[in-house]
Amino acid sequence: MAIAGGGGGTAKCCAGFCSFLFAAGFIVLIYWAIFQPHHIRATVETAALSDLAVVSGNNASSSAAGVSYHLAVTLNLYNPSVRVKIYYDAMNAELRFRDTAVIGPAANDTSPSVFFQRGRTRDDVKLEFDYGRPGVAVAGDVARELEKEARSGGTVSLELHVDVRVRYVFRMFKLRQKPKIWCWLSIPVKAEGRRRGVVGGSITSGERCRVKY
C-alpha cells in the first residue's frame, strides 16, 4: 500500500510539472507570436542644429567647458504590427557626443509626450534641446574634440538616446516594455552669421535608428 501511494504522489507531481511547462510554453508562444516580431521602428526624419558654440576654459589643461546649442529633431515611430496597439506612456531623451559625454541631460519636452498608436501607423515625435550660454558643462577633452569637429567645416557627429515606456495591447493581453532607441546624427555644419565659433546645420535623414528591448 505504501508503494502504491508513493507512485500516485509521483504521478501527481509529474502531472503538475507538465501543466506548468505547458502554461509557460503557451505564454512564451503568445509573446513570440504577437509581440516579439513586431518591435517598433524609429527613424530620424529631420534634425536642425543652430547656435552651436564651445566655450573652453582659460587654458588647454582646463578640466571643464560649456557647450551651448539648439537642436530640434523629428523622430518617426512606426508600429509594424497589424493587430497589436501601442500606448506610449513616457519618453525621455538625452544627447551625447562620442557615446559617453552627455551634452543634453534631457529634452525640454517631447511633443506629444504620451500617445496611442494603432497598428501599421506612423507618428512623428518632436524633441527639442535648447541650451544657451553658459551651456552644458562637459569635460575639457570632450569640449576640444567637439570644437574641432565644429570648426573643421565638415560634420558634427551626435547621438540621440531615447528611453521609452510602452504598453503593447492585443485584446486581453498586455505587455509592458522599456525599449531604448539610439539614433546617430551626422550634421554638416557651417559658420552662422558673423559670430565667431558659432556653427549650425540641418539634415533630412530618413536613417533608421537602433531599437533595443
Side-chain angles (χ1 to χ4, degrees):
M1 295 293 292
I3 297 175
T10 303
K12 289 181 179 179
C13 181
C14 289
F17 183 69
C18 290
S19 298
F20 171 77
L21 288 180
F22 177 80
F26 180 74
I27 293 173
V28 171
L29 179 63
I30 288 294
Y31 170 79
W32 181 87
I34 297 175
F35 299 106
Q36 187 70 17
H38 305 296
H39 286 172
I40 60 175
R41 299 173 189 170
T43 305
V44 173
E45 295 297 305
T46 62
L49 176 67
S50 60
D51 298 328
L52 174 63
V54 179
V55 181
S56 303
N58 295 328
N59 54 65
S61 62
S62 177
S63 60
V67 178
S68 60
Y69 66 97
H70 178 270
L71 176 69
V73 179
T74 300
L75 185 66
N76 182 268
L77 299 175
Y78 176 60
N79 176 10
S81 176
V82 177
R83 299 179 180 85
V84 178
K85 302 172 183 178
I86 303 176
Y87 289 87
Y88 291 80
D89 294 327
M91 299 183 70
N92 295 296
E94 65 181 19
L95 193 67
R96 299 184 184 183
F97 176 71
R98 301 292 173 87
D99 187 42
T100 56
V102 178
I103 60 174
N108 293 344
D109 197 4
T110 62
S111 179
S113 55
V114 296
F115 60 97
F116 165 73
Q117 191 175 50
R118 297 184 182 278
R120 291 286 177 92
T121 58
R122 296 180 179 273
D123 289 277
D124 285 340
V125 176
K126 295 184 178 179
L127 304 97
E128 187 173 4
F129 298 81
D130 192 8
Y131 296 95
R133 292 176 181 269
V136 180
V138 297
D141 57 339
V142 173
R144 287 188 289 273
E145 289 295 323
L146 181 56
E147 188 175 30
K148 182 179 178 181
E149 284 196 10
R151 292 186 175 184
S152 67
T155 62
V156 170
S157 299
L158 303 172
E159 296 176 20
L160 179 66
H161 290 228
V162 185
D163 292 333
V164 188
R165 290 208 318 265
V166 299
R167 283 175 291 152
Y168 286 95
V169 179
F170 176 74
R171 297 181 181 177
M172 62 177 295
F173 297 99
K174 294 183 181 180
L175 178 68
R176 296 181 184 272
Q177 292 279 299
K178 294 181 179 180
K180 296 180 179 293
I181 301 173
W182 287 280
C183 304
W184 291 266
L185 308 175
S186 295
I187 305 176
V189 295
K190 60 181 180 180
E192 289 186 331
R194 297 180 179 179
R195 292 176 294 174
R196 183 178 180 183
V198 179
V199 301
S202 62
I203 57 172
T204 303
S205 174
E207 292 287 335
R208 284 276 296 272
C209 304
R210 180 186 175 191
V211 181
K212 183 178 180 180
Y213 281 74

